[in-house]
Amino acid sequence: MSPLEQTWADKPGILGWLSTVDHKRIGLRFVVTTLVFFALAGLLAAVMRLQLARADNHLVGPDLYNQLFSVHGTAMMFLFAVPVMEAVALYLIPLMVGTRNVAFPRLNAYGYWLFLFGGVMLFVVFALNIGPEAGWFNYVPLSGPEFSAGKRSDFWAQLITFTEISALIGAIQIITTAFKMRAPGMTLARMPLFVWAMVVTSFMIVFAMPSVMLASTFLITDRLVSTQFYNPAEGGDVLLWQHLFWFFGHPEVYIIFVPALGMISEILPTFARRRVVGYVAMVVALVTIAFLSFGLWVHHMFTTGLPPLGMSFFTAASIMIALPTGLQIFCWIATLATGKRVQFAAPLLFVIGFFFIFIIGGLTGVMLGATTLDSQLHDSYFVVAHLHYVLIGGAVFPLFGGFYYWFPKLTGRMLSERAGRWNFWLFFVGFNVAFFPMHILGLQGMPRRVYTYSAASGWENLNLLSTLGAFTIAVSMLVFLVNVVMSLRRAGRAPHNPWNAATLEWATSSPPPAYNFATIPVVNSRTPLWEQKFPMAEVTGLPDILPTVLVTRLHDAEPDHVAILPTPSLWPFLAAIATTVMFVGSVFTPWAVVWGAVPVGITLIGWFWPDKEEAARMLSIEVKPSEGEARVVALREALS
Amino acid sequence: MNHQVLAPAGPLSSEIAQLFWVFVAVAAVVYLLVIGFLVAALRRRNEASMRTALRTVSVAVAITSVILLGLGLSDFFAGRALAATPHDPLRVRVTAHQWWWEIEYSDAQPARRVRTANELRIPTQRPIELELTADDVIHSFWVPSLQGKKDLLPGYTTRLDLIASRAGVYEGQCAEFCGFQHAHMSIDVIALEPQAFTAWYDAQLSAAAEPQNPVAAHGRDVFLGSTCVMCHNIQGTDASAVAGPDLTHIASRRRLAAGTVPNNPANLAAWIRDPQALKPGTHMPATQLAGDDLAALAAYLSELR
């Protein structure tokens, strides 16, 4: 084992598995965890579809049905859609920007464990029949102390705490890694669009999540220690919840969607064999979407009787956000039109599916943004159709494209193209059969979140059709699962760069070594693997005996200094357990916050306790300021 | 089906339906154009020139802006038309409960205020101004054939205008998730010709019908002697509680338990015996009445037209 390998290797066995701080191991684990939650939440949807397949059906009663859709929505939003994007990014971004780990590796491990424990808590309480029951946006006063007895809504509120902490940790990792750890020469204007999309998303997370944490904390205190934030009888306000929740909740949709836009901007140019058209316009569009997304939360509240003139502002903002989204779609079509002959591989199929489905969702979104139309469509099945067209079409299809695209990098194996086609067509057809009829059901007056309906309503046939579509989707997911399992078992190794793509993650082996790159590459192009000659220029002189990374300047990625990253540790795992005990305990008594803080404090002290051996190694490579200056000068000269 | 957004029965819902078709037409053209360009880009044999591509993108962005502006303005003007203050409206206060609708017609004379539940009768052609509120959780009033929806929020009063152009029954349902029986919280809006409405209204002002036979008379005694009176009101008797729906003219309504079942003596008896079987979670408790008493009670209530 070379010193470099030794430095970055994990301990063997279960201890190594628990203490790893490698962004790839954590990222992959994170992706798999979110997919398990996706499958579970999907199964809940299948039960709902079975219940709704017939009028006056008695398969499940209202109590279970309410938990089914609440847990389905909550899990899909908080345990799948947002975290899966962050998980993919935590795996890919260090590779894409040419560094060896994320900026805060131990915090990364902590964020993952906390997410896992929070997600497990949600499904455990659901299995115990004390799952959340007030919908994924958990409106008060239905979720308040008076109308939601027991602990169901408390678990919902604490799940939010878990996932938000994890999401904020991911966001900070992504911003710091993308801003400060890019390979020399990768200026902001050369940063891959997926990295741009994740930076934009991460800033949205940083500004949006505190709002829902505030809202859910108010709810917990209302329920646990009798504050009256949401109780109108005591001067509280039921609309306060809606404002706080949707101030987070609308950006949330774009937090899910913007990373998918970034994935398309990576996949599509690879198969069109040219750089994306309008790189700068794309970046500006992403940033514009982020800003606008904070100015349209009220379109979820158009029927609450707010003043009409105020609502017009939010209509304008809601409709306007179609413009930057449209601009990106036009640029991608232009990329396809001006590129070389298109290769129809599975990743691209899913991206093409995105166009067909998402554009429908975008157009119905314009309808919902119009106050007048929204008064009819809001809270009906039309909205259920719309949100699935936007989230599945806009995010899940590109995500599956991403799975097919990056699977060889993550695992060293190619997924089967044939199974990929089956996967795509079943998903595409099943999706439209499941969700298109819901537009019509909404126009026929079917409200969302009803556990049954009467035969006289005339909604039965379309609901049955929708259920058939839902089961087609389930089959397509099975095909995907089989494809993954078969591909992992098969011997054939994937090459470094099977798609002949342009970005740095394809410059290293598949799967990449623990240290990602033996030497940090030097970049002088937006599409380095297409335009740079091999072997690429590289940075030398990083010490091998410590986990060091090169820190570069924010805008021009000039080398700034060398940072030493923390080593693997069991403490983040233990700290996450302590935090989990505190959070779950606080569902039952406010004193859990006080006493639970003690073990959290102890584990954090352990986490930051310096290691003797490590300190000795650091001293051995310490450079006097004068020598350091000379080295930096030498490095700069070598680069120029 | 009498609960369709696109089969409007009044000027307000017509306005919205027309706007919907405008949006759908524009959306269809936009969709076909974008998909057309996409397919052309995927199927082409030769690379398009960069200049043409960029020019097309700019033109597409410009057209999109104009379309969006047009759609936004058409929504704004439609919204203004809908928000116009109605002339001489009939004012009705609707209070939503888990899971039924309390309805009170306002009148300058308190004695002429009609109270009813789950069924809103209105005269055709005359604007109705609903004052909406809730006394527990958030609900939403939605009768698609007549108007868009409006939420009923505890601590707030919201307003919604309705106009029915022609007589008929228009069904609606609570649209904001409100707990266990959100699925069984329907409202019937019945539009009557003005004379028919006046006749109905005057009939509603009268006290409950006197029992016409000994069985029904026994039924009334059962009602007044059991827990029914803790929640319900029957005008002209000692039962005057307001926690549940007013039963003075219960037999004149189409459906029972906020649209759960059609209103007939058999369903009424079944409902009284075990409301939880028909509508699990409803706040109406099961009754411990003997068979005869139950039949008599159902007979009495079935006469309250």
Side-chain angles (χ1 to χ4, degrees):
Chain A
M1 225 190 233
S2 71
L4 189 64
E5 277 171 51
Q6 217 160 4
T7 304
W8 289 90
D10 282 316
K11 294 187 191 78
I14 183 80
L15 196 66
W17 197 81
L18 291 175
S19 63
T20 184
V21 293
D22 182 342
H23 74 100
K24 295 178 295 298
R25 291 186 81 179
I26 294 172
L28 191 57
R29 204 176 284 176
F30 213 147
V31 171
V32 172
T33 310
T34 58
L35 285 177
V36 170
F37 292 143
F38 173 63
L40 290 174
L43 288 176
L44 302 184
V47 178
M48 285 192 278
R49 280 319 320 165
L50 279 178
Q51 163 69 10
L52 292 177
R54 307 303 306 265
D56 298 312
N57 202 352
H58 289 290
L59 181 71
V60 297
D63 185 38
L64 180 56
Y65 190 86
N66 293 349
Q67 290 182 67
L68 285 173
F69 74 71
S70 302
V71 176
H72 168 77
T74 304
M76 284 297 191
M77 299 300 272
F78 293 102
L79 297 179
F80 169 64
V82 173
V84 75
M85 299 297 179
E86 283 198 320
V88 170
L90 288 171
Y91 189 104
L92 286 177
I93 283 186
L95 292 162
M96 283 184 146
V97 302
T99 188
R100 286 171 169 170
N101 205 341
V102 289
F104 312 106
R106 287 189 181 177
L107 190 62
N108 197 25
Y110 176 73
Y112 167 72
W113 292 117
L114 210 53
F115 170 80
L116 173 71
F117 298 150
V120 168
M121 178 195 77
L122 179 72
F123 282 98
V124 166
V125 298
F126 173 72
L128 296 175
N129 196 24
I130 43 174
E133 57 178 352
W136 84 271
F137 43 76
N138 210 47
Y139 274 4
V140 295
L142 188 62
S143 61
E146 199 182 340
F147 300 99
S148 176
K151 295 295 177 191
R152 290 176 165 187
S153 291
D154 301 289
F155 284 116
W156 183 89
Q158 280 308 23
L159 175 84
I160 300 306
T161 317
F162 275 105
T163 54
E164 304 302 271
I165 291 179
S166 165
L168 283 167
I169 288 174
I172 291 162
Q173 302 282 5
I174 290 165
I175 293 172
T176 318
T177 309
F179 273 0
K180 294 300 293 174
M181 292 164 71
R182 296 196 307 277
M186 187 186 280
T187 62
L188 279 184
R190 289 177 187 154
M191 200 157 81
L193 279 171
F194 177 70
V195 182
W196 262 114
M198 286 314 305
V199 166
V200 167
T201 303
S202 300
F203 273 104
M204 289 168 75
I205 289 176
V206 169
F207 286 100
M209 298 280 175
S211 178
V212 71
M213 283 187 96
L214 190 66
S216 61
T217 305
F218 284 173
L219 178 65
I220 295 172
T221 57
D222 266 16
R223 295 179 56 92
L224 205 61
V225 293
S226 300
T227 54
Q228 308 288 344
F229 289 106
Y230 302 123
N231 181 3
E234 295 290 338
D237 192 322
V238 296
L239 285 183
L240 174 64
W241 171 270
Q242 298 191 16
H243 282 293
L244 287 174
F245 187 87
W246 291 117
F247 185 80
F248 144 83
H250 204 86
E252 161 101 338
V253 176
Y254 289 91
I255 286 168
I256 293 165
F257 175 55
V258 167
L261 297 177
M263 289 180 185
I264 298 172
S265 290
E266 296 302 324
I267 298 169
L268 188 141
T270 299
F271 295 98
R273 313 242 137 276
R274 64 153 295 139
R275 282 180 171 195
V276 76
V277 171
Y279 175 91
V280 175
M282 292 289 224
V283 173
V284 172
L286 291 173
V287 176
T288 311
I289 288 176
F291 275 99
L292 285 177
S293 74
F294 282 91
L296 34 76
W297 79 92
V298 169
H299 75 211
H300 297 272
M301 300 168 64
F302 279 163
T303 61
T304 56
L306 297 173
L309 194 63
M311 293 201 292
S312 298
F313 169 83
F314 290 95
T315 295
S318 308
I319 289 182
M320 212 192 323
I321 205 161
L323 204 56
T325 314
L327 173 65
Q328 302 209 24
I329 290 176
F330 303 147
C331 286
W332 289 321
I333 295 178
T335 308
L336 289 171
T338 53
K340 303 219 167 46
R341 231 192 130 112
V342 178
Q343 275 182 299
F344 287 95
L348 189 70
L349 275 187
F350 282 95
V351 169
I352 295 170
F354 155 89
F355 284 96
F356 278 82
I357 296 172
F358 172 76
I359 296 175
I360 293 181
L363 291 166
T364 54
V366 173
M367 297 178 193
L368 289 166
T371 38
T372 331
L373 293 182
D374 185 70
S375 73
Q376 283 284 23
L377 306 175
H378 179 73
D379 269 342
S380 75
Y381 258 83
F382 192 92
V383 170
V384 181
H386 161 76
L387 75 92
H388 287 95
Y389 266 78
V390 171
L391 290 176
I392 296 185
V396 180
F397 268 81
L399 181 70
F400 270 76
F403 288 153
Y404 278 87
Y405 183 67
W406 281 297
F407 190 84
K409 182 52 63 186
L410 268 65
T411 62
R413 306 270 194 275
M414 299 294 285
L415 282 171
S416 148
E417 272 293 311
R418 234 172 87 109
R421 270 159 213 279
W422 275 99
N423 182 186
F424 169 75
W425 282 109
L426 284 169
F427 194 11
F428 185 78
V429 172
F431 172 83
N432 284 294
V433 173
F435 292 101
F436 196 83
M438 292 186 186
H439 292 110
I440 303 167
L441 284 169
L443 293 169
Q444 290 180 349
M446 181 167 172
R448 69 195 285 198
R449 302 181 163 179
V450 289
Y451 76 96
T452 189
Y453 53 89
S454 74
S457 63
W459 300 328
E460 196 168 15
N461 290 340
L462 287 175
N463 269 300
L464 183 61
L465 186 64
S466 172
T467 301
L468 292 176
F471 280 86
T472 315
I473 298 176
V475 173
S476 80
M477 291 299 133
L478 267 181
V479 172
F480 176 70
L481 190 66
V482 170
N483 195 358
V484 168
V485 172
M486 297 299 285
S487 301
L488 288 178
R489 285 184 166 191
R490 224 172 32 195
R493 307 286 315 188
H496 279 27
N497 190 1
W499 312 111
N500 190 19
T503 39
L504 281 186
E505 77 271 28
W506 305 103
T508 184
S509 62
S510 305
Y515 44 83
N516 289 356
F517 299 95
T519 52
I520 304 300
V522 176
V523 174
N524 54 28
S525 154
R526 211 175 269 165
T527 45
L529 302 202
W530 284 349
E531 276 135 45
Q532 284 180 228
K533 287 196 183 75
F534 281 88
M536 293 167 82
E538 49 196 34
V539 177
T540 53
L542 284 179
D544 281 352
I545 57 166
L546 279 166
T548 46
V549 290
L550 188 63
V551 178
T552 51
R553 291 200 308 222
L554 169 57
H555 60 294
D556 58 4
E558 286 283 309
D560 196 41
H561 64 273
V562 171
I564 302 170
L565 295 183
T567 47
S569 161
L570 203 54
W571 287 109
F573 174 68
L574 298 175
I577 291 181
T579 315
T580 304
V581 170
M582 177 172 81
F583 285 167
V584 175
S586 73
V587 166
F588 299 96
T589 162
W591 285 101
V593 179
V594 178
W595 299 117
V598 175
V600 173
I602 293 170
T603 49
L604 288 182
I605 291 169
W607 176 334
F608 291 108
W609 204 262
D611 179 72
K612 235 180 206 169
E613 211 180 307
E614 207 181 311
R617 259 180 289 161
M618 280 188 201
L619 272 176
S620 76
I621 60 158
E622 199 170 80
V623 178
K624 286 189 189 125
S626 53
E627 290 175 44
E629 190 68 18
R631 280 206 200 180
V632 169
V633 169
L635 188 64
R636 290 251 162 82
E637 275 169 8
L639 287 172
S640 54
Chain B
M1 283 178 279
N2 46 11
H3 40 70
Q4 303 239 32
V5 173
L6 299 178
L12 304 173
S13 47
S14 296
E15 179 90 35
I16 302 175
Q18 277 167 21
L19 189 68
F20 179 79
W21 285 118
V22 170
F23 271 63
V24 167
V26 173
V29 172
V30 169
Y31 187 74
L32 291 177
L33 272 175
V34 177
I35 293 298
F37 274 101
L38 173 70
V39 170
L42 287 169
R43 293 186 53 152
R44 85 209 135 67
R45 293 186 181 275
N46 306 313
E47 296 164 30
S49 89
M50 197 58 196
R51 268 178 74 97
T52 332
L54 283 179
R55 198 173 296 158
T56 318
V57 168
S58 321
V59 171
V61 169
I63 294 176
T64 310
S65 317
V66 173
I67 290 175
L68 291 174
L69 189 66
L71 291 178
L73 286 175
S74 63
D75 172 61
F76 179 74
F77 288 111
R80 257 170 53 134
L82 290 175
T85 317
H87 174 67
D88 182 31
L90 172 66
R91 291 200 168 82
V92 184
R93 190 169 177 81
V94 179
T95 309
H97 303 266
Q98 281 182 325
W99 292 274
W100 62 284
W101 307 89
E102 179 185 347
I103 293 161
E104 188 180 24
Y105 294 78
S106 65
D107 195 287
Q109 300 177 39
R112 286 194 55 83
R113 288 178 193 162
V114 163
R115 291 183 72 247
T116 180
N118 300 332
E119 196 171 287
L120 174 66
R121 299 211 180 202
I122 58 171
T124 55
Q125 304 295 348
R126 184 173 169 193
I128 316 298
E129 190 183 284
L130 301 179
E131 288 177 10
L132 306 168
T133 190
D135 85 335
D136 40 43
V137 302
I138 301 172
H139 303 269
S140 190
F141 183 97
W142 187 32
V143 182
S145 308
L146 296 180
Q147 172 59 304
K149 61 184 74 62
K150 190 63 68 88
D151 294 352
L152 304 93
L153 306 129
Y156 286 86
T157 300
T158 50
R159 271 163 229 291
L160 183 69
D161 299 329
L162 293 182
I163 304 173
S165 299
R166 49 179 193 272
V169 179
Y170 307 106
E171 288 175 9
Q173 205 170 332
C174 175
E176 182 63 65
F177 177 62
C178 57
F180 251 59
Q181 284 299 336
H182 169 57
H184 290 130
M185 188 168 164
S186 300
I187 186 160
D188 292 334
V189 176
I190 301 178
L192 302 168
E193 299 296 340
Q195 301 88 333
F197 174 76
T198 312
W200 171 83
Y201 196 88
D202 290 339
Q204 291 287 306
L205 287 170
S206 60
E210 284 296 313
Q212 297 299 314
N213 58 57
V215 176
H218 176 58
R220 180 168 67 177
D221 293 342
V222 171
F223 186 90
L224 295 173
S226 72
T227 50
C228 306
V229 292
M230 308 288 281
C231 298
H232 294 287
N233 174 52
I234 295 183
Q235 206 67 32
T237 72
D238 289 340
S240 58
V242 292
D246 187 303
L247 302 179
T248 310
H249 301 283
I250 171 92
S252 68
R253 296 183 205 144
R254 275 181 80 224
R255 299 192 282 177
L256 283 176
T260 309
V261 285
N263 187 2
N264 57 45
N267 281 341
L268 189 58
W271 168 250
I272 296 168
R273 188 183 332 109
D274 189 6
Q276 302 298 329
L278 285 173
K279 194 171 175 178
T282 177
H283 294 315
M284 177 152 155
T287 43
Q288 308 288 334
L289 294 175
D292 295 354
D293 288 352
L294 182 67
L297 179 58
Y300 168 62
L301 292 173
S302 302
E303 285 185 2
L304 299 181
R305 306 214 152 263

